[in-house]
Amino acid sequence: MENKKYKEVYLDNNKKYQEYVEKISPKPTFVKNYINAFVVGGLICVLGQFINNIWTNSFGLDKLAAATSTSITLIFIGAFLTGLGVYDLLGKRAGAGSIVPITGFANSIVSPAMEHKQEGYVMGVGANLFKVAGPVLVYGIGSSILCGFIYYIFLMIK
């Protein structure tokens, strides 16, 4: 009998606690987050197109070279802004809009390395450089090799 009463009190307290948590928890603003992500991601892409136009028109690079130079430039800008602490502030406001473009990739490489730089360049920066991006690179490269191999097999069968 005592155990049953304990369960009732426990369940009642748990229910009250859940109601309290729901009452004080901030409500998510999905629409605002979607709009911020869309606008910031779009602005990063517009910046990329602007940089691409500069490489093409001002420096006379062909499409492939301009695209490569644009990617390198955007990675540099993302890493540089992460080093200054600006990209993290942008990420707090923009959410996925700052993560999806190539600048987010640069941020995912530089951030863990910066957090551990007091441990030294080898064991701190070097060991943590690809902490977040490493699995993405491994599985991305591995799946591209697998897809290329399957494509090659289908060409051989034809």
Side-chain angles (χ1 to χ4, degrees):
M1 187 74 174
E2 191 174 308
N3 194 18
K4 186 175 182 182
K5 187 169 181 131
Y6 173 76
K7 277 187 175 179
E8 289 174 6
V9 170
Y10 174 76
L11 291 174
D12 189 44
N13 286 342
N14 195 18
K15 184 178 177 185
K16 286 180 184 177
Y17 177 74
Q18 290 299 327
E19 289 172 359
Y20 172 73
V21 168
E22 287 180 23
K23 187 172 130 181
I24 66 166
S25 295
K27 304 296 178 224
T29 53
F30 292 117
V31 175
K32 180 183 167 199
N33 292 345
Y34 295 151
I35 292 171
N36 283 344
F38 180 77
V39 169
V40 171
L43 288 174
I44 291 172
C45 292
V46 167
L47 174 67
Q49 185 61 50
F50 179 72
I51 292 169
N52 193 335
N53 290 347
I54 290 174
W55 283 116
T56 303
N57 299 332
S58 298
F59 295 102
L61 298 179
D62 63 1
K63 269 186 163 182
L64 183 61
T68 303
S69 300
T70 301
S71 296
I72 292 169
T73 305
L74 286 172
I75 289 171
F76 172 77
I77 290 171
F80 185 71
L81 291 178
T82 299
L84 295 177
V86 174
Y87 205 86
D88 293 334
L89 297 174
L90 178 69
K92 285 180 184 176
R93 294 277 181 212
S98 67
I99 294 171
V100 174
I102 198 165
T103 52
F105 174 74
N107 177 267
S108 72
I109 289 176
V110 174
S111 288
M114 286 185 55
E115 288 175 15
H116 298 279
K117 74 178 178 185
Q118 71 274 5
E119 297 171 22
Y121 288 114
V122 175
M123 295 306 291
V125 175
N128 291 289
L129 195 59
F130 292 105
K131 191 177 230 177
V132 175
V136 174
L137 291 171
V138 168
Y139 287 106
I141 293 168
S143 62
S144 67
I145 290 170
L146 180 64
C147 289
F149 184 68
I150 292 170
Y151 178 73
Y152 179 75
I153 290 172
F154 279 120
L155 284 180
M156 295 300 287
I157 293 173
K158 232 178 180 181

